[in-house]
Amino acid sequence: MTDAPLSPAPRAALDTLTEAGAPMRRRTVLSAGLGLAAAFALRPARAAATVRIGYQKYGSLVLLKGRGSLAKALAPLGYDVAWSEFPSGPPLLEALNAGAIDLGSAGEAPPIFAQAASADLRYVGTEPPAPRGEAILVPKDSPVRSVAELRGKTIALNKGSNVHFLVVRALEKAGVPYDAVKLVFLSPADANAAFVRGAVDAWAIWDPYLAAAERSTGARVLADGSGIAPNRQFYLSRRGFTEASPEVVVAILRAVAEVDTWAAGNGATVAAELAPSVGIPAPVLAVALERLSYGVAPLDTQAIADQQAVADAFHALGLLPKAIRVADAVWTHPERKAEIR
């Protein structure tokens, strides 16, 4: 190792040592100076900042994690990546609002509740609608043949998730009052168990759990989101992060766009890559992926209008504590659109 130059203070002290006994003191000060210089020379470079990403076991973010492409994209900006897995959108957005993560993705309903809880939520991008990627299922031998026949029945769903809105709109379209059914709020794993043992009459769920349930139980789709709910996937952050690190947000979205382009033409490969982490066989995932949409972009007027409809529906039912204006939470970085595409 090459010793760094002495700092000015030790060098000045050395220059003043001319009296008797100075050689000993000179060696002492020299030793101290070299020690100080060595300490600075050994000090590590400033650690890279870390962007914390929340993901679920499906979609483009989990592909980014698996391929390692996001870490490579952020390295030139001085950022590392830390990943946190969540079972669904609501807890992911709770973590985002609490400052435990910096960016993540979720379906259409969770951001509505998150925005009502915090004005700092920011929509930074969205994927195109994927209405067939969520559905209300009934057992294969169920006598129920239409959503209208769910009146008085029990429906399992994840509270505040994308399928919560699907149930609201499906019941509305069928002329069934929201309070005319019994909703049981369960996580996907618990809802699956309840569905299999016949403890509930129907289950509202999203892919890839939807595809897995169809394959393993022969469940029938009573209604999916077609003509009812867009089922968009959103990328979300916090105001503090988007204001402090807009270039990082843009880099993340560009990385998502790249993996979207790759995934759109490689369904079988994507299914094979996702299968180990999701715990669902690749052939089942392939069915789910066929219903997924790709093409991250900034929110346009239609996406904002679709989200506003979700917010208004939940507020009208008294499920949202206050009215919100979705447009207030949309990130408006001036270079975003040009840099994502």
Side-chain angles (χ1 to χ4, degrees):
M1 180 183 73
T2 301
D3 290 328
L6 294 178
S7 63
R11 190 175 298 278
L14 288 171
D15 291 341
T16 61
L17 298 177
T18 57
E19 69 277 14
M24 179 63 70
R25 293 203 302 274
R26 182 183 179 91
R27 285 195 296 272
T28 300
V29 176
L30 178 60
S31 176
L34 288 172
L36 181 63
F40 277 103
L42 290 172
R43 178 183 293 177
R46 183 179 66 85
T50 299
V51 58
R52 301 162 300 170
I53 306 291
Y55 72 100
Q56 300 177 53
K57 283 188 173 182
Y58 194 53
S60 298
L61 286 183
V62 73
L63 284 175
L64 275 182
K65 178 179 182 294
R67 296 177 69 81
S69 53
L70 183 56
K72 294 177 182 177
L74 294 180
L77 299 176
Y79 275 80
D80 197 358
V81 185
W83 297 91
S84 297
E85 181 184 310
F86 294 85
S88 61
L92 187 153
L93 286 180
E94 288 177 10
L96 183 66
N97 274 351
I101 59 174
D102 302 307
L103 188 144
S105 65
E108 55 208 355
I112 298 301
F113 294 95
Q115 185 181 351
S118 172
D120 287 337
L121 183 80
R122 288 292 177 269
Y123 290 87
V124 299
T126 183
E127 302 281 1
R132 295 189 301 126
E134 61 177 359
I136 300 173
L137 297 177
V138 293
K140 61 182 179 181
D141 56 354
S142 171
V144 175
R145 296 289 169 177
S146 69
V147 174
E149 295 175 51
L150 288 176
R151 185 186 295 264
K153 304 294 185 181
T154 301
I155 307 172
L157 60 91
N158 198 88
K159 185 177 183 180
S161 66
N162 58 335
V163 293
H164 198 160
F165 180 63
L166 171 65
V167 169
V168 167
R169 291 302 302 271
L171 293 174
E172 179 184 286
K173 185 176 181 179
V176 180
Y178 182 73
D179 58 5
V181 299
K182 180 181 179 182
L183 300 183
V184 179
F185 298 127
L186 298 171
S187 68
D190 291 337
N192 178 67
F195 185 76
V196 169
R197 70 172 183 267
V200 296
D201 300 299
W203 178 22
I205 189 60
W206 60 88
D207 274 327
Y209 306 108
L210 168 59
E214 289 178 289
R215 173 67 66 91
S216 64
T217 70
R220 290 187 288 108
V221 172
L222 203 60
D224 62 23
S226 300
I228 300 175
N231 188 34
R232 292 177 181 270
Q233 191 75 194
F234 293 96
Y235 297 94
L236 304 125
S237 187
R238 297 187 324 277
R239 181 174 58 182
F241 188 75
T242 58
E243 290 181 352
S245 307
E247 74 286 357
V248 176
V249 178
V250 170
I252 293 170
L253 294 176
R254 291 182 67 183
V256 170
E258 290 174 3
V259 82
D260 272 2
T261 299
W262 170 78
N266 293 279
T269 303
V270 173
E273 284 197 15
L274 278 179
S277 62
V278 177
I280 294 175
V284 177
L285 276 180
V287 173
L289 290 167
E290 190 274 327
R291 300 188 286 227
L292 191 61
S293 61
Y294 299 102
V296 64
L299 275 69
D300 58 15
T301 55
Q302 186 60 58
I304 294 172
D306 287 345
Q307 274 301 88
Q308 191 62 54
V310 178
D312 294 344
F314 280 123
H315 185 251
L317 288 171
L319 303 177
L320 195 66
K322 63 180 182 181
I324 62 170
R325 184 173 179 269
V326 171
D328 292 341
V330 176
W331 187 50
T332 54
H333 187 278
E335 298 177 357
R336 181 180 53 159
K337 187 168 184 178
E339 293 195 44
I340 292 175
R341 294 173 181 264

